[in-house]
Amino acid sequence: MTNVPLHPPAGWYPDPAGTVAERFWDGQAWSQSTRDKPTLAEPLFTDPPAYAPSAPGITGYGVPNYGYAQAQPVSGRRVGGFWWRLLGFVIDIFIVNLVSMVITQLTGVTAMTEAAMNRWVQELAFWSETAAGPVPMPDSSYWMGALWGTLIGFALYGAYRVVFLGTMGATVGQLAVGLRTVVIGAEPEAKLGWKPAVIRGLLGSFFWAASLGLINGIFAAFSAKKQTLSDMASGTEVLKVR
C-alpha cells in the first residue's frame, strides 16, 4: 500500500522566501499572491506540521505551517521617535560643522569671509556718521566666501550621510541614540543598500544646506511613519533598535 502525503489546506502562511509578508498556498503549490502579515497579540500554536512541500525551482523554499495559527506574533520593529531623531541630528551636525570649520580654515575660505566682513563693518560705521549715499553692502568676496562655505558643508554632510548609511545603515548620531535606517517594512538588521543611502543622504544634506532642515525634520513629527521628506523620497524609515 502506497502512503500518499497529506497536503496542507489552502490558505495564507508566512512567506517561506523570507519576506515580511504572507504567501497563499493553494493546496498544491505556492501562488504568486502575497499580503501584509496580520498581527495578533498572542500566537496560537497547535500540533507541529506534518508536511513540507517545496516550491519548484526555489532552493530551500519553506513550509506552510498549517498546524500553526496563520497570524503571527507582532514583530519587534519600533519606529524611531521625533526627539530621538532630533538628538541624533544634533550630534551629526556638531560633527560635520567641526570638520567643516577645519576645512574652511585650511582652504582660506574663513579668512576671506572674515576680511570681507570687517571691511563691511568699517564701511557701515563710516556711513552711520555721514549718512552719505546708500547703505553699503558686503563686497563680492564676502558672498564668494559664503558660497564656498555652503558648498563645502553640503559636500561634506552629503558624503558623511551617504557613506555611513550605505555601510552601517545609520549615521554616527543615529548609532549613538540607537536608531537605524531601513527600507520601509524591512527588519532592523536589514542592509539599507546604496541607492536609498545616496538619495536619502544627498537630499538631507541639500535641505540642511538650503536652510530647510527644520521643514524636513518637522515631517518626522507628524507623518504616519515618522518620515522626513528625504525618507519619503528614498522609501526609508528610521527604527529604534535599542
Side-chain angles (χ1 to χ4, degrees):
M1 181 176 179
T2 304
N3 292 326
V4 179
L6 176 65
H7 284 219
W12 294 95
Y13 298 96
D15 188 359
T19 70
V20 297
E22 289 187 337
R23 188 174 297 277
F24 189 76
W25 171 263
D26 63 11
Q28 298 293 328
W30 293 107
S31 73
Q32 296 302 313
S33 300
T34 60
R35 71 175 186 182
D36 291 336
K37 184 186 297 183
T39 57
L40 290 178
E42 295 291 338
L44 301 177
F45 297 96
T46 59
D47 295 330
Y51 182 68
S54 297
I58 304 181
T59 303
Y61 210 64
V63 182
N65 277 346
Y66 66 93
Y68 290 75
Q70 293 183 21
Q72 299 298 306
V74 180
S75 170
R77 299 172 76 259
R78 290 187 298 155
V79 176
F82 172 77
W83 295 108
W84 284 116
R85 296 188 61 171
L86 178 61
L87 179 57
F89 172 76
V90 170
I91 294 173
D92 289 332
I93 290 300
F94 175 79
I95 294 172
V96 171
N97 281 347
L98 186 63
V99 178
S100 179
M101 183 173 63
V102 173
I103 293 176
T104 53
Q105 287 279 1
L106 294 176
T107 56
V109 172
T110 300
M112 178 175 65
T113 306
E114 288 179 350
M117 177 63 74
N118 290 334
R119 288 194 299 271
W120 182 40
V121 170
Q122 291 174 2
E123 291 172 0
L124 281 175
F126 178 77
W127 178 86
S128 66
E129 295 176 356
T130 62
V135 178
M137 297 297 292
D139 58 31
S140 59
S141 60
Y142 171 83
W143 299 112
M144 185 61 66
L147 175 62
W148 276 111
T150 300
L151 291 176
I152 290 172
F154 167 73
L156 181 62
Y157 190 36
Y160 166 83
R161 286 168 57 89
V162 169
V163 170
F164 275 94
L165 288 173
T167 57
M168 305 185 69
T171 62
V172 173
Q174 288 179 327
L175 291 172
V177 298
L179 299 175
R180 184 175 174 84
T181 303
V182 299
V183 175
I184 293 176
E187 292 301 317
E189 65 275 6
K191 186 175 179 61
L192 178 60
W194 285 106
K195 182 177 179 180
V198 170
I199 296 173
R200 189 180 190 278
L202 293 183
L203 271 180
S205 178
F206 169 77
F207 287 130
W208 172 71
S211 299
L212 299 174
L214 178 61
I215 296 176
N216 185 37
I218 284 176
F219 276 80
F222 299 104
S223 60
K225 291 182 178 291
K226 305 298 182 184
Q227 292 175 289
T228 61
L229 291 174
S230 51
D231 282 321
M232 296 176 186
S234 59
T236 60
E237 60 181 335
V238 176
L239 303 180
K240 190 78 168 70
V241 296
R242 73 171 192 277

